[in-house]
Each structure stands twice: as structure tokens, then as C-alpha cells.
Amino acid sequence: MVFTRIDGNGISGYGEASLPPYLGETHDSVLKFLSKAQKLLERFSNPEDLGALTEAVDAIDTGNTAAKASVDIALNDLYGKMLNRPCHEIYRADPAKPLYTAYTLPIDDEEGIRKRVAEAQEYKLLKVKLGSASDKKTIEKIRQLTDKDFFVDVNEGWADKHFALDTILWLADHKCLFAEQPLPKDRPDDIAWLTERSPIPILADEAVQRISDLEKIQGIYSGINVKLMKCTGMHEANQMMIRAKKYGMKILLGCMSESSCAVSAAAQLAPFADWIDLDGPLLIKEDFFDGVKFSEGKIILNDWPGIGAVPHPSLPSPVGEGKR
Ligand code: MG
């Protein structure tokens, strides 16, 4: 993880880049990008036009979506604090909407599943990772233990479209809500075939990163998994959700392994999603931020200005300093 701080008018905005290996970004690549972003931001005198600012940051280089997200989150935080308003209010997201996050059950043996289901007691929605030879056994085991709502994330793990359809029909009978990325993303024809026949929504995760990908997957998937680290942050995530809705697509708002900094930022937009998968801070060892809280599986948005997260004193001191 790399944390970003942007100062302006005596106020600090905070952001975070989380770096899952599949996005290809590293600690070094993020720092390199941030020093370019710093030079660019020094030329702007106020952060009011967040859209123009994030577009300028995006134009610095291709890729680098997590580094871009960290700048976007820090700018949103700074802007919210300058206005003394929480970001969910600025984006006109209704904080009164009940927001239940999913709790992830990784691929595991029977004993592991039993343990995880017990840990997930207060969560109303389960996300079950599939893509192994024992997928049906996993679901049968979970169904013996609980009748909670669940969805599955296959992470491109099934190879054959007929196998995928059989399994999805079986899952639908077991009241599965939807399936995320059942087949490899480079097989759009097979996925379109599956989506057409599936009684439950088929969501793209690996197959969709940015708003520009939406057009390509229209008619192939019935929904998308939006993550700040894939789509360069809150500004584009918001735009993406608006456009996906226009296309009639379902929206899952997800996260990587993230602290309460990035997850609080994502949570500001959670009222726009159909389902929420923001259990990042529950799965990391050390959280350097105080932010949104979870109570009985529900995300509790606070009314703090900005992204709704503040750093702990334990946040490591900066490696590079710059003002804007
Ligand atoms: Mg996924």
C-alpha cells in the first residue's frame, strides 16, 4: 500500500493506492507516478474542478490506475474538507440507504469453511470464491451451515461454457444472487452465450477496469464490479456507475486488500451500488486509518468532511514531501 497526502489551504487530503499483483503496479511505480502528479498539481491553484484535475492526472501516463486512484481519493478528501462536507453529500448519495457489505469466504477445506462461516456470523451477505474441483461441495457445506444470501466469484476459474452453465443453474437453485467472472475474460462469445442462458446476473470483474471498457462488454455481461483501484478513483467510479445504470447493468462495488482510507472513500459511493463488497479493512493486519465502521454487516457512513477517514498517529511518515 502507498498512502498519498495532498495539502492545500492548510488542509490535508489523504489517499491510498493498493497494489494487487495482477494490476502490475509496484511501490516504485506508484512513487514515480506521484512525483509526476505532484509537479502537475503544483500548477493548479484550487481543487474545485475535480473532473478536470483527475483528467489531467489521468493524462500523465497510461495504466497506473491505483496510483491515479490515490491522487483522486486525496483530492476528493481535500475538496470535501475545504467545503466541510462529506463526499457522499457532494456526490448526492443517500447515506440513509442500508448498506450491507459481503464477507469473503476463500477457497478452503470443510474445516476452513466452517470456521469462516462462523466468523461471518454478523454479515448478511457472503461472497464465496469458487473455481476449484470441489465447488458444489463448498456450496453444499455452506448451505448446511447457513441460509444467508450469497454470490460467487469464480475469478475466471471455469474453462468450459457448458460446465459453467450447468453449475450456474445449480447455483441458482441454491439461491445464489449472481456470479462474478465465471469464464476467462478473453472469451467474450462464450460469456455472452452464458449470460443469455443464465437465470442470475453474470458480472465482469477482470474483464472491466475503466469506463472505456463498458461499451466493449455491453451485451456480454449483465453487470460489473467497480473498484476504485481499477478505475482511477471516485470521480471515474461515479461516472462509471451512472453509465452502467444507463446500460441496464447491475453494479457491485468492490475493493482490493485496502485500509479504511480507500474503503471509506469507496463507501461514499456505496448507495449507488446494487451490492457491496467492501470488507478490505476486515482482512488486513494493520489499519492506519479510522473510517467507516461495520456494525452487524452494515456499513456505517460517518458525517466527517471528505472521504470520512482520518489517519492514526501510527501512519508512517512521508517519503516524499510536496505542497500544492
Ligand atoms: Mg472478483
Side-chain angles (χ1 to χ4, degrees), residues 2 106 200 222 229 258 275:
V2 178
I200 56 173
S222 30
M229 296 302 141
E258 288 165 18
W275 305 287

Side-chain angles (χ1 to χ4, degrees), residues 6 16 27 49 52 77 84 89-90 106 113 119 125 130 149 157 166 202 205 216 235 238 240 246 259 265 287 307 311:
I6 299 176
E16 171 182 353
H27 195 257
D49 193 350
D77 193 32
N84 200 26
E89 203 180 292
I90 297 169
I113 293 169
E119 278 169 15
L125 176 62
L130 294 185
D149 283 344
D166 283 351
I202 303 294
D205 184 9
K216 282 182 269 174
H235 174 73
N238 182 50
M240 213 167 156
K246 227 160 86 191
S259 83
D287 195 343
I307 60 169

Side-chain angles (χ1 to χ4, degrees), residues 102-129 137-150 283:
Y103 188 87
T104 303
L105 306 185
I107 293 175
D108 212 334
D109 59 19
E110 279 207 15
E111 197 37 49
I113 293 169
R114 188 191 302 277
K115 227 178 100 196
R116 286 288 189 151
V117 169
E119 278 169 15
Q121 204 185 358
E122 65 176 288
Y123 296 88
K124 287 191 166 24
L125 176 62
L126 300 176
K127 163 176 171 163
V128 184
K129 292 274 192 183
K137 264 196 195 145
T138 298
I139 300 299
E140 277 165 351
K141 182 76 211 164
I142 292 168
R143 272 291 170 252
Q144 281 169 19
L145 298 165
T146 175
D147 60 359
K148 278 179 191 174
D149 283 344
F150 76 99
L283 308 171

Side-chain angles (χ1 to χ4, degrees), residues 1-4 15-19 26-28 30-31 34 70:
M1 275 172 204
V2 178
F3 295 103
T4 304
E16 171 182 353
S18 163
L19 308 170
T26 62
H27 195 257
D28 280 353
V30 173
L31 293 184
L34 290 179
S70 78

Side-chain angles (χ1 to χ4, degrees), residues 127 129 153 155 180 205-206 225 227:
K127 163 176 171 163
K129 292 274 192 183
D153 183 4
N155 290 111
E180 211 184 307
D205 184 9
E206 285 82 351
N225 185 341
K227 294 175 183 166

